[in-house]
Amino acid sequence: MKKTIPALLLSLALLLCLTGCGQKAESAKALNFDGLTFTDYKVFDAPVKSLRGMAASLDGKSLYTGHILLTANGVRKIDVASGEEQWIFHDGSVGDWPEYAKGLAADDRGYVYAVVTYNKASFISLFVIDDSTGEMISETIVDLGLMDCGANGVAVYKDGDKYYAYFITNYGANRIYCYDVTDPASPAINPAFGVDGIVNLPLKTGVAEADANYIAVGPDGSLYLTMKLAQGAKADAVAKFSNDGSKFEKVIDCEEAYGISISGDYLIVSTYQAENSVVNIYKLSDYSLVATVGGDVANHDHYSQAFLIGNKLYIADQSYQTGATEEDMGSRILVSGEIPEK
């Protein structure tokens, strides 16, 4: 049977959305963030210190945490419903290099991505991890050419049948790298991105000290970075780059912008300001500020990441005083109450 014209148009529209959006689309919903309160979702007592990276699975069932400093580092998978740890990847240091798992991401195929910095080394690692077991699928070592540089945020984007991992390097090697991870066992630099797979941030932005922290990918493939473009200890802005790295623009001024994520029409930015840390929520469509939350949480410290999962906001509170001395300092994940729809 032949399709009618309306049916053909509907089929075409669905095809264009599936091929052009690249990632799983989320239904847009307007939320009311007024009066939002937070409680402890999970506390990591010392020495599981400095919860730096955090990511959420696309289905909202899992959280992934990356820890730095002391002896209990590595990546942890947490079941959102129960708060129980499912597995731990690299709990501690490997060889002679203490590890700092700062950037985490997950895709829709069952893989977790971690970028890891090593103390007193000129290289970083991109790990691909099996989400079901916590076992390593591959390790890609990237030599940055400078000692004591680092790798921070990572984000994964699906474009048709291809998957790309974008990650930030900083502390001197201020760049965005793009790797084709369609074959998770054999990631390869994507030469179509930037110049031979790399965007040199000082060169692209015209700011000699341009330094980025975390990265998120919008539904159209645009890259959003928290960046230092003028001042601040960590950052002062959110910048937008085209998917191929060729275009750059500053879109938001945000003091000490650090963690960043995208959920529906919301761009969520956490700030790294010790007791002054907050989470700013912007409309992705026009970058207008919708709400500022989390500033009134007692004893909170640096907010290194934040994610909306369903109608709840989860915040990585990097250093949280769980004992009487600094050596007792751990970290925690905060969770909001149910956020009502407008």
Side-chain angles (χ1 to χ4, degrees), residues 82-124:
S82 67
E84 297 297 320
E85 290 180 356
Q86 304 298 298
W87 48 251
I88 302 175
F89 176 78
H90 279 205
D91 187 20
S93 300
V94 175
D96 296 327
W97 299 287
E99 293 186 2
Y100 305 93
K102 297 181 179 180
L104 302 172
D107 68 17
D108 62 354
R109 301 177 297 173
Y111 299 112
V112 177
Y113 302 80
V115 285
V116 173
T117 296
Y118 304 94
N119 190 32
K120 298 180 181 178
S122 64
F123 61 89
I124 60 95

Side-chain angles (χ1 to χ4, degrees), residues 269-286:
V269 180
S270 62
T271 69
Y272 202 84
Q273 296 177 286
E275 67 274 9
N276 295 317
S277 298
V278 296
V279 176
N280 290 322
I281 300 167
Y282 304 90
K283 286 189 67 175
L284 183 61
S285 56
D286 62 10

Side-chain angles (χ1 to χ4, degrees), residues 75 89-90 99 107 109-116 118 124-131 133-142 165 167 179-189:
V75 179
F89 176 78
H90 279 205
E99 293 186 2
D107 68 17
R109 301 177 297 173
Y111 299 112
V112 177
Y113 302 80
V115 285
V116 173
Y118 304 94
I124 60 95
S125 293
L126 169 65
F127 287 102
V128 184
I129 305 165
D130 187 322
D131 185 41
T133 64
E135 296 178 353
M136 185 179 76
I137 301 295
S138 65
E139 177 185 11
T140 302
I141 295 175
V142 182
F167 60 86
Y179 272 73
D180 185 332
V181 291
T182 306
D183 178 0
S186 185
I189 196 80

Side-chain angles (χ1 to χ4, degrees), residues 54-281:
M54 189 168 77
S57 62
L58 272 66
D59 61 10
K61 294 181 179 180
S62 303
L63 278 171
Y64 311 93
T65 60
H67 301 262
I68 65 174
L69 304 179
L70 299 180
T71 58
N73 301 332
V75 179
R76 288 161 166 73
K77 178 183 178 181
I78 299 170
D79 179 78
V80 169
S82 67
E84 297 297 320
E85 290 180 356
Q86 304 298 298
W87 48 251
I88 302 175
F89 176 78
H90 279 205
D91 187 20
S93 300
V94 175
D96 296 327
W97 299 287
E99 293 186 2
Y100 305 93
K102 297 181 179 180
L104 302 172
D107 68 17
D108 62 354
R109 301 177 297 173
Y111 299 112
V112 177
Y113 302 80
V115 285
V116 173
T117 296
Y118 304 94
N119 190 32
K120 298 180 181 178
S122 64
F123 61 89
I124 60 95
S125 293
L126 169 65
F127 287 102
V128 184
I129 305 165
D130 187 322
D131 185 41
S132 61
T133 64
E135 296 178 353
M136 185 179 76
I137 301 295
S138 65
E139 177 185 11
T140 302
I141 295 175
V142 182
D143 195 325
L144 304 182
L146 294 170
M147 291 294 291
D148 293 330
C149 292
N152 260 33
V154 60
V156 179
Y157 180 66
K158 180 182 180 183
D159 188 5
D161 60 355
K162 292 282 190 178
Y163 287 79
Y164 297 100
Y166 302 87
F167 60 86
I168 302 297
T169 62
N170 52 13
Y171 304 120
N174 300 332
R175 306 162 190 159
I176 312 172
Y177 284 78
C178 178
Y179 272 73
D180 185 332
V181 291
T182 306
D183 178 0
S186 185
I189 196 80
N190 173 21
F193 178 78
V195 177
D196 297 328
I198 302 170
V199 167
N200 181 309
L201 291 173
L203 186 63
K204 177 58 66 176
T205 63
V207 178
E209 301 299 322
D211 195 357
N213 297 303
Y214 280 85
I215 183 170
V217 186
D220 65 350
S222 296
L223 310 177
Y224 293 86
L225 280 64
T226 51
M227 290 193 67
K228 184 176 181 179
L229 292 172
Q231 59 187 359
K234 287 292 184 183
D236 55 78
V238 176
K240 179 181 179 181
F241 291 78
S242 59
N243 186 254
D244 63 359
S246 64
K247 298 178 181 178
F248 150 78
E249 63 174 318
K250 184 176 77 171
V251 294
I252 298 171
D253 288 311
C254 181
E255 184 178 1
E256 303 301 351
Y258 198 67
I260 188 167
S261 65
I262 293 172
S263 180
D265 191 39
Y266 292 117
L267 181 66
I268 302 164
V269 180
S270 62
T271 69
Y272 202 84
Q273 296 177 286
E275 67 274 9
N276 295 317
S277 298
V278 296
V279 176
N280 290 322
I281 300 167

